[in-house]
Amino acid sequence: MARGLHAAGLRQRRPEISLSEIQADWIESLIGSPCPVPIPEGLMEPVNQEFQPVFRFAVQTLDRLGIAYAVGGSVASSLYGVSRMTRDADLTVEPFPNRIAAFVTAFDPNEFYLSPEAVGIALKDRSTFNILHPSTGYKLDLFVRKDDPFEQSAFSRRTPFAVPGSPDERIQVHSPEDVILFKLRWYRIGNEVSDQQWRDILGVLHAQRGRLSAEYLDRWAAELGVKDLLNRARGEV
């Protein structure tokens, strides 16, 4: 729906706009700068562009290369709480300094945009890099797991989820407690102005009532300096 509304708005303002121009505008709104590679030809209408194969290919590649990962962000909060439209996926990955070449070459440059330099820097600094699929405008943000106690704990508590339409296939997802804690931390870092982050937190707390470990949440919320936000969210729920 988001893609369809975006395209309809552009067409209302610019009736002669092409599919590739619509795609370029979507990608620029997604990554904050113009698309770094040419837009592929033969695009489908934006509302019909299917991104799930892109996501599945990425996690299958990580599995094949033996790179441990955990899905987080809005994809995870939608699984555990209230589903919402999302334009990208967040994954935490274990550092993989000896498999950079194999990882980069797994993503065909005719289909994906992936900077080898950005991958190397992210692994060195324990930061983030992204993979862009210009044909669908879909983006995956990969966060290299930091070496701090919380992220180590969160990574050890990953939960397998069945992939819709493929019950024998599993993806690794952060636990609901850790999704809440990550989002509380991002909410605080972002000066507590993201209504969407807050709704995600409330959605998981509400949907997972009676299933969450209060002790785990309290311990790490205090460690991360977000215990006041956790208490506030609990009160609202």
Side-chain angles (χ1 to χ4, degrees), residues 45-120:
E45 276 290 328
V47 73
N48 296 325
Q49 290 172 5
E50 178 56 68
F51 64 82
Q52 287 193 46
V54 178
F55 175 78
R56 291 176 69 180
F57 176 79
V59 297
Q60 288 167 356
T61 298
L62 291 168
D63 280 333
R64 179 173 59 81
L65 295 176
I67 300 171
Y69 71 90
V71 178
S74 56
V75 173
S77 65
S78 293
L79 288 170
Y80 291 124
V82 178
S83 297
R84 68 173 173 92
M85 294 182 295
T86 178
R87 305 197 299 176
D88 55 13
D90 294 345
L91 295 92
T92 301
V93 295
E94 283 279 15
F96 53 96
N98 299 323
R99 282 162 286 180
I100 296 177
F103 178 81
V104 171
T105 57
F107 294 88
D108 185 343
N110 294 313
E111 288 190 58
F112 296 91
Y113 174 74
L114 172 62
S115 166
E117 293 78 12
V119 175

Side-chain angles (χ1 to χ4, degrees), residues 126 145-157 178 181-182 185 216 219-220 223-224:
R126 298 289 181 102
R145 183 189 58 75
K146 291 181 170 55
D147 219 7
D148 64 59
F150 168 63
E151 295 210 10
Q152 289 177 342
S153 172
F155 209 79
S156 72
R157 301 174 77 248
D178 292 309
L181 291 164
F182 274 114
R185 186 167 70 172
Y216 183 88
R219 174 195 169 193
W220 285 110
E223 291 279 347
L224 296 171

Side-chain angles (χ1 to χ4, degrees), residues 20-205:
S20 61
E21 290 173 316
I22 291 172
Q23 190 78 342
D25 189 82
W26 173 265
I27 291 173
E28 183 165 2
S29 73
L30 182 72
I31 65 175
S33 59
C35 185
V37 292
I39 302 293
E41 297 180 1
L43 292 169
M44 297 172 64
E45 276 290 328
V47 73
N48 296 325
Q49 290 172 5
E50 178 56 68
F51 64 82
Q52 287 193 46
V54 178
F55 175 78
R56 291 176 69 180
F57 176 79
V59 297
Q60 288 167 356
T61 298
L62 291 168
D63 280 333
R64 179 173 59 81
L65 295 176
I67 300 171
Y69 71 90
V71 178
S74 56
V75 173
S77 65
S78 293
L79 288 170
Y80 291 124
V82 178
S83 297
R84 68 173 173 92
M85 294 182 295
T86 178
R87 305 197 299 176
D88 55 13
D90 294 345
L91 295 92
T92 301
V93 295
E94 283 279 15
F96 53 96
N98 299 323
R99 282 162 286 180
I100 296 177
F103 178 81
V104 171
T105 57
F107 294 88
D108 185 343
N110 294 313
E111 288 190 58
F112 296 91
Y113 174 74
L114 172 62
S115 166
E117 293 78 12
V119 175
I121 292 170
L123 289 169
K124 179 176 178 290
D125 297 343
R126 298 289 181 102
S127 56
T128 184
F129 65 94
N130 54 59
I131 301 170
L132 179 66
H133 190 250
S135 291
T136 58
Y138 196 64
K139 180 168 69 77
L140 297 111
D141 293 318
L142 279 76
F143 296 82
V144 181
R145 183 189 58 75
K146 291 181 170 55
D147 219 7
D148 64 59
F150 168 63
E151 295 210 10
Q152 289 177 342
S153 172
F155 209 79
S156 72
R157 301 174 77 248
R158 296 171 296 154
T159 301
F161 255 84
V163 175
S166 183
D168 294 330
E169 187 178 349
R170 295 288 189 271
I171 58 172
Q172 298 293 325
V173 184
H174 276 304
S175 74
E177 292 90 350
D178 292 309
V179 171
I180 292 167
L181 291 164
F182 274 114
K183 284 189 168 286
L184 286 171
R185 186 167 70 172
W186 278 113
Y187 184 71
R188 171 132 292 165
I189 290 171
N191 296 316
E192 303 174 25
V193 298
S194 173
D195 291 339
Q196 187 60 72
Q197 289 274 25
W198 191 249
R199 284 194 295 269
D200 288 346
I201 293 163
L202 298 182
V204 178
L205 281 169

